[in-house]
Amino acid sequence: MDRFRRDKSKLDRAMVDLNRAIKKLDRSTGANKTLQMSDVRERLDFNKGLLEDLNMQVRALPNRDVLSSDLRRHQFNLSEIEKSVSNMGGTSYGRSRTPEDREQLMRNDILKGRDRVNETGRLLNESVQIGLQSEEIGTAALDQLYTDREKLDNAEGVLDDVDNDINRARKKISIMGRRAITSNIILAFIILILISAICVIIFFKWIYPSIKHK
């Protein structure tokens, strides 16, 4: 997004410069008009290149619909300017008044062509850098996902162990509960036997002799 804003600002400034160059073209005459026409065409090509690069960038942005409307406005303005420049006749080396003018025009076009190549190379390098950065980000994201997956797998194993421990504890508690019930029954039976024995002893020691004497 930062690159898009930077290139968009560059396009806005370039459009202002292009409009100024067109105004100069309207006031120019003779060889100066030919030179100015070449400059206008150069600026027009440069702006079209910037606009094309921005159209490629906006496809990957979330709010591309809003941004694309502004780019379409620039596209319309460039089309109108290109029509106006074409109607003016365009640059022709044969229209130069002197061989020196023709040579100067050729030199200017060669320099501007070299500048276009350099600018295109710079934009390509930036695109390659963005691609490499995107690849690094994607690789880092995949590594992070793999690490998270391992953590989840380990957590699942821990949960399985905890569940197994809980099941074993439940079984042991159930066994202990049954043993406690059995122990209580045995204890109650022993108490009942002791009470019965005490009653028998009391009967034969105190009650039975008294009944026998009567």
Side-chain angles (χ1 to χ4, degrees), residues 183-198:
S183 298
N184 290 333
I185 293 173
I186 294 173
L187 181 61
F189 183 72
I190 293 173
I191 292 173
L192 182 60
I193 292 174
L194 290 174
I195 293 173
S196 299
I198 292 171

Side-chain angles (χ1 to χ4, degrees), residues 87-202:
N87 293 333
M88 290 179 184
T91 301
S92 174
Y93 298 128
R95 295 182 182 179
S96 301
R97 291 184 178 180
T98 63
E100 289 77 8
D101 291 336
R102 291 195 297 270
E103 182 180 354
Q104 182 63 35
L105 285 173
M106 293 177 64
R107 184 181 298 109
N108 290 339
D109 285 344
I110 291 173
L111 292 175
K112 291 176 181 179
R114 185 181 64 183
D115 292 339
R116 280 200 303 270
V117 171
N118 292 335
E119 181 66 18
T120 303
R122 184 187 66 80
L123 293 176
L124 288 175
N125 288 333
E126 289 183 359
S127 300
V128 171
Q129 291 297 325
I130 292 175
L132 293 175
Q133 291 175 1
S134 301
E135 183 180 0
E136 291 177 356
I137 293 172
T139 302
L142 289 175
D143 292 339
Q144 184 63 39
L145 289 174
Y146 181 76
T147 302
D148 293 341
R149 180 180 177 181
E150 288 184 342
K151 290 180 180 179
L152 289 175
D153 291 339
N154 294 333
E156 184 178 0
V158 172
L159 290 176
D160 290 338
D161 293 339
V162 172
D163 189 50
N164 293 331
D165 292 339
I166 291 174
N167 290 332
R168 286 194 296 268
R170 286 176 179 174
K171 291 179 180 179
K172 289 181 179 180
I173 292 173
S174 179
I175 294 172
M176 291 174 64
R178 288 195 296 270
R179 288 179 179 176
I181 293 173
T182 303
S183 298
N184 290 333
I185 293 173
I186 294 173
L187 181 61
F189 183 72
I190 293 173
I191 292 173
L192 182 60
I193 292 174
L194 290 174
I195 293 173
S196 299
I198 292 171
C199 291
V200 170
I201 293 171
I202 292 172

Side-chain angles (χ1 to χ4, degrees), residues 9-10 12 31 33 36 39 55 60 70 86 100 106 109 126 185 191-192 194 198 203 209-210:
S9 177
K10 184 187 296 184
D12 293 337
K33 187 177 183 65
Q36 193 63 38
D39 181 65
N55 283 324
D70 194 21
S86 297
E100 289 77 8
M106 293 177 64
D109 285 344
E126 289 183 359
I185 293 173
I191 292 173
L192 182 60
L194 290 174
I198 292 171
F203 176 79
S210 61

